[in-house]
Amino acid sequence: ADRDVRPGEQILEDYGDTDNSLFLEAHGFVPDENPFHCAMMPGNMEQSRLMSRGLTEALVRMRVLPPPPSAGGAGGGPPSLLGIPDVCVKRDGTVTDDRSLQYLAVAALASYPSLAGRRESCERAATSGDADMELIRLQCAHYPGHVQAASKLVRSIARRALCESSTALEEDWTMLSEAVSEENASRSVSEMTGGAALPPHPRRVKDIRSGTGTEEDDSEEEEGKRRRERTIVALKFRIVEKRTLMDAARVVASGRDACDDDDYDDDDDVLLPPE
């Protein structure tokens, strides 16, 4: 410990600057407020299909993508889009991972016609015989306007992720409310009946651990409680993910409604510098 602790004194742990996925996977809960949370978006969406060979080569040379596999041991094969990084975005639309930022800057070159000239400069730098790494980074990832272009692409990817989600935010809230109500009702019944069921017989515990027991040996009430708790935590995580993506995309709807959001404008206040 970094200080003396008296017997019975409460000890607090600092989880660090991490997103909710660590809390969910390692600790089994989701914090109500976490300023460090970022929502995961798949980078391999429609933008990746627009990648030319030259842009893909730039990503490989910058080590954003892994090098292509050798073709029968006779040298490298064509660049592959395997290994495209997922993008973790915060509610304000920022992305802090440098590898993801470089991918977004290059993907923007493939996505917006206004960047055609810069795309050609990137492709020339990446495919020239004496390609210089600093020149590639300058032409492909740090060109004038790359921050605005990447931000615009983040909003587009976030909106697409919302469009493809199987449920809308309102549906998740409804399911969470029902799950919490069911859990509260179960707790009330447990308190009225004197608490939880008795623990299983020691022999049954041994049988379960050795694999010779059955699920019927466990309390159905306890199993139902664990199932409700897992559902509540999962729904809380999903709700935070959707709210983060909605803020990042600057839309007011989620699920299928996000695809038809009239308030969404892919060109809002994004001015790319002239060529």
Side-chain angles (χ1 to χ4, degrees):
D2 60 353
R3 59 183 174 83
D4 293 334
V5 180
R6 297 189 303 272
E9 181 181 354
Q10 184 180 22
I11 300 176
L12 303 178
E13 179 180 358
D14 184 359
Y15 291 100
D17 303 352
T18 186
D19 68 278
N20 286 355
S21 60
L22 176 64
F23 294 104
L24 179 64
E25 295 172 4
H27 307 292
F29 75 96
V30 176
D32 293 332
E33 295 291 338
N34 181 7
F36 305 110
H37 177 64
C38 60
M40 194 65 69
M41 306 185 301
N44 191 9
M45 301 188 77
E46 71 271 13
Q47 289 79 14
S48 64
R49 294 192 291 271
L50 301 175
M51 288 285 189
S52 65
R53 183 186 178 93
L55 294 182
T56 307
E57 182 67 32
L59 291 172
V60 171
R61 288 181 178 271
M62 292 190 298
R63 298 185 179 180
V64 175
L65 295 181
S70 298
S80 171
L81 289 176
L82 296 176
I84 286 179
D86 290 335
V87 179
C88 206
V89 60
K90 293 186 177 182
R91 295 185 69 169
D92 61 359
T94 57
V95 176
T96 57
D97 177 62
D98 186 61
R99 181 167 173 253
S100 296
L101 286 170
Q102 291 184 79
Y103 164 72
L104 290 168
V106 175
L109 294 176
S111 303
Y112 303 120
S114 61
L115 297 176
R118 292 184 181 130
R119 179 175 65 249
E120 294 173 1
S121 298
C122 171
E123 291 171 337
R124 284 195 301 269
T127 56
S128 64
D130 55 346
D132 176 78
M133 183 57 64
E134 288 302 317
L135 180 61
I136 293 175
R137 292 186 187 278
L138 179 64
Q139 298 287 5
C140 302
H142 297 151
Y143 52 85
H146 72 278
V147 174
Q148 297 95 319
S151 297
K152 183 177 179 180
L153 187 55
V154 163
R155 293 199 297 273
S156 177
I157 298 176
R159 181 171 181 255
R160 177 57 55 186
L162 287 168
C163 285
E164 296 182 353
S165 60
S166 58
T167 59
L169 180 63
E170 294 75 13
E171 295 175 277
D172 291 338
W173 275 116
T174 299
M175 288 188 287
L176 177 61
S177 178
E178 293 173 350
V180 170
S181 297
E182 184 179 356
E183 174 64 12
N184 290 338
S186 175
R187 288 179 180 175
S188 298
V189 171
S190 177
E191 292 170 358
M192 292 171 58
T193 56
L198 292 175
H201 190 277
R203 174 174 292 182
R204 290 184 177 179
V205 174
K206 183 178 180 181
D207 290 342
I208 292 172
R209 288 176 175 170
S210 65
T212 59
T214 67
E215 289 296 331
E216 295 177 355
D217 293 329
D218 200 1
S219 166
E220 292 184 7
E221 181 180 346
E222 287 300 313
E223 177 61 27
K225 181 177 184 297
R226 287 194 293 269
R227 184 173 60 251
R228 289 191 298 271
E229 290 175 345
R230 289 194 297 266
T231 299
I232 290 172
V233 172
L235 285 169
K236 284 184 176 180
F237 181 83
R238 197 159 72 183
I239 286 170
V240 173
E241 288 285 283
K242 282 193 175 73
R243 291 176 63 186
T244 301
L245 289 174
M246 289 171 65
D247 286 347
R250 301 183 185 177
V251 297
V252 295
S254 62
R256 293 168 294 277
D257 294 336
C259 304
D260 303 318
D261 188 353
D262 293 334
D263 293 335
Y264 179 81
D265 181 3
D266 191 42
D267 294 317
D268 57 341
D269 56 53
V270 176
L271 299 177
L272 300 177
E275 297 286 345

